[in-house]
Amino acid sequence: MSVAQTINPGVSFRSMVVKPPSHPTYDMKGVIKLALAEDAGDRGDVTCLATIPFDMEVEAHFLAKEDGIVAGISLAEMIFHEVDPSLKVEWSQKDGDYVQKGLQFGKVSGQAHNIVVAERVVLNFMQRMSGIATLTKTMADAARPACILETRKTAPGLRLVDKWAVLIGGGRNHRMGLFDMVMIKDNHISIAGGIINAIKSVDQYLEQQNLQMEVEVETRTLEEVDEVLRYTSQTKSSLTRIMLDNMVIPLPNGDVDVSMLKDAVEMINRRFETEASGNVTLETVHKIGQTGVTYISSGALTHSVKALDISLKIDTELALQVGRRTKRA
């Protein structure tokens, strides 16, 4: 089942500012149900059951507690719809918008019990996605003219959610999984007996299976780059991209030497897409992007994410008072 097929009917797929990436088996609705189920356990919200009259209705407001790019608005609507389709959700911002600390950017109204039940699951997704989108936006702007990519270093079970946040932040998606792109890495090369053997095996496999897809090979030295270029100049190959791994060299003063990466890009001379990987940080990404490389991949976008602080408050005036006292609003 495709992602589009698992989107709740209460949310218009066409109205999404940034649609989730495509995946043949990912069950978004199932992920939402699992998140709600692990919170509810076998008893439900015992605090709500004890303190909130079931028929009470309230209005709760989303509050940004720090500056950043908001993401997960469409997913939040799906979660609220899953808990209670009668809940009304309104937004003054959309996925990908910049929010400032203290801004109320959305509200949900309806049965208090159901709003509070959905609250933490909604915020867990939104805070994580907003953190990813915020870092992606900063790195994507710094990387230009290169495009920033994430990797498969995502939270287990949240692959599509994490990659959706990257898109919202202005990045591009690398391969979704093991199925949609051939990526020949160091272990494949070692097992195959060399980089050319690995490329030959991939070419044969794709031809035998009548498959057409992107093929990337990891290179770690200029000699490997030259070996790949010589082979592909003499033989028809399915190769589309060359990864230039760890060709950004850290220096003792905190700077980086990108001369090896630049040499590799010049050697390839646009015959293939190029991807820089390794030692990619907020401090180095701009310099890497100036080498002429096509893509820059960063696992940190998703594996080291700092969540953006967002809250959902019914008594917003008191929440702002507390926020000012703690310097969080």
Side-chain angles (χ1 to χ4, degrees):
M1 187 177 288
S2 72
V3 173
Q5 289 174 306
T6 66
I7 299 296
N8 274 319
V11 180
S12 171
F13 192 74
R14 286 174 294 182
S15 72
M16 290 181 183
V17 178
V18 180
K19 295 178 182 178
S22 178
H23 192 290
T25 61
Y26 197 90
D27 182 3
M28 180 73 82
K29 189 171 183 178
V31 170
I32 291 170
K33 285 186 171 184
L34 181 62
L36 291 167
E38 71 178 358
D39 221 13
D42 60 351
R43 291 182 182 274
D45 188 339
V46 293
T47 313
C48 276
L49 292 169
T51 62
I52 301 176
F54 198 75
D55 58 351
M56 178 177 284
E57 296 203 351
V58 296
E59 186 177 273
H61 294 258
F62 285 92
L63 181 67
K65 292 187 173 180
E66 58 183 321
D67 300 349
I69 301 298
V70 67
I73 283 176
S74 295
L75 184 54
E77 290 189 24
M78 296 177 210
I79 296 165
F80 282 125
H81 186 272
E82 183 64 34
V83 172
D84 180 356
S86 71
L87 293 176
K88 185 179 180 182
V89 190
E90 299 177 70
W91 307 96
S92 61
Q93 306 294 312
K94 60 186 183 297
D95 278 331
D97 281 350
Y98 179 78
V99 294
Q100 289 183 302
K101 184 166 80 169
L103 178 70
Q104 292 183 35
F105 62 90
K107 64 181 180 180
V108 55
S109 55
Q111 277 196 343
H113 180 102
N114 291 331
I115 290 173
V116 176
V117 165
E119 173 192 358
R120 178 41 53 196
V121 174
V122 166
L123 290 176
N124 282 350
F125 278 114
M126 286 190 72
Q127 289 177 312
R128 179 177 176 84
M129 289 182 72
S130 297
I132 292 171
T134 299
L135 179 58
T136 300
K137 172 66 174 170
T138 304
M139 292 193 76
D141 287 348
R144 290 193 180 97
C147 297
I148 198 78
L149 307 171
E150 86 296 84
T151 67
R152 284 168 50 239
K153 296 174 183 177
T154 53
L158 297 182
R159 172 69 52 82
L160 187 134
V161 173
D162 284 359
K163 285 178 174 281
W164 190 3
V166 168
L167 293 180
I168 291 170
R172 297 270 294 273
N173 286 153
H174 209 305
R175 60 176 178 162
M176 187 59 58
L178 300 173
F179 60 92
D180 57 332
M181 179 184 189
V182 175
M183 190 165 177
I184 309 168
K185 292 180 67 66
D186 51 358
N187 284 337
H188 303 111
I189 292 167
S190 297
I191 295 168
I195 196 165
I196 301 307
N197 283 347
I199 296 173
K200 285 180 180 177
S201 296
V202 167
D203 288 337
Q204 291 169 3
Y205 174 81
L206 293 179
E207 185 176 358
Q208 290 167 0
Q209 300 296 320
N210 195 26
L211 288 174
Q212 288 188 331
M213 60 176 59
E214 290 184 284
V215 176
E216 180 172 11
V217 66
E218 177 184 309
T219 59
R220 294 157 290 180
T221 65
L222 295 181
E223 289 73 23
E224 282 189 329
V225 173
D226 183 61
E227 195 176 352
V228 170
L229 292 175
R230 282 190 286 108
Y231 171 75
T232 53
S233 68
Q234 300 165 3
T235 308
K236 184 181 177 181
S237 174
S238 52
L239 186 68
T240 56
R241 187 185 305 177
I242 299 177
M243 176 187 285
L244 308 169
D245 192 45
N246 287 312
M247 295 190 187
V248 176
I249 314 301
L251 298 175
N253 64 0
D255 198 3
V256 288
D257 179 0
V258 296
S259 58
M260 182 180 179
L261 176 64
K262 196 169 184 180
D263 288 345
V265 170
E266 289 174 356
M267 286 171 64
I268 296 166
N269 194 26
R270 299 185 180 180
R271 285 175 54 188
F272 300 97
E273 294 177 338
T274 51
E275 177 185 334
S277 177
N279 295 308
V280 178
T281 67
L282 279 172
E283 293 71 34
T284 64
V285 70
H286 177 71
K287 194 169 185 178
I288 297 169
Q290 301 305 301
T291 62
V293 73
T294 317
Y295 300 107
I296 303 171
S297 57
S298 170
L301 290 179
T302 54
H303 74 56
S304 299
V305 58
K306 177 186 176 295
L308 192 74
D309 199 357
I310 298 169
S311 65
L312 181 64
K313 295 297 182 184
I314 294 169
D315 189 342
T316 52
E317 199 53 49
L318 180 57
L320 284 168
Q321 287 179 29
V322 174
R324 293 186 192 104
R325 187 177 72 219
T326 57
K327 303 189 186 307
R328 294 173 69 199

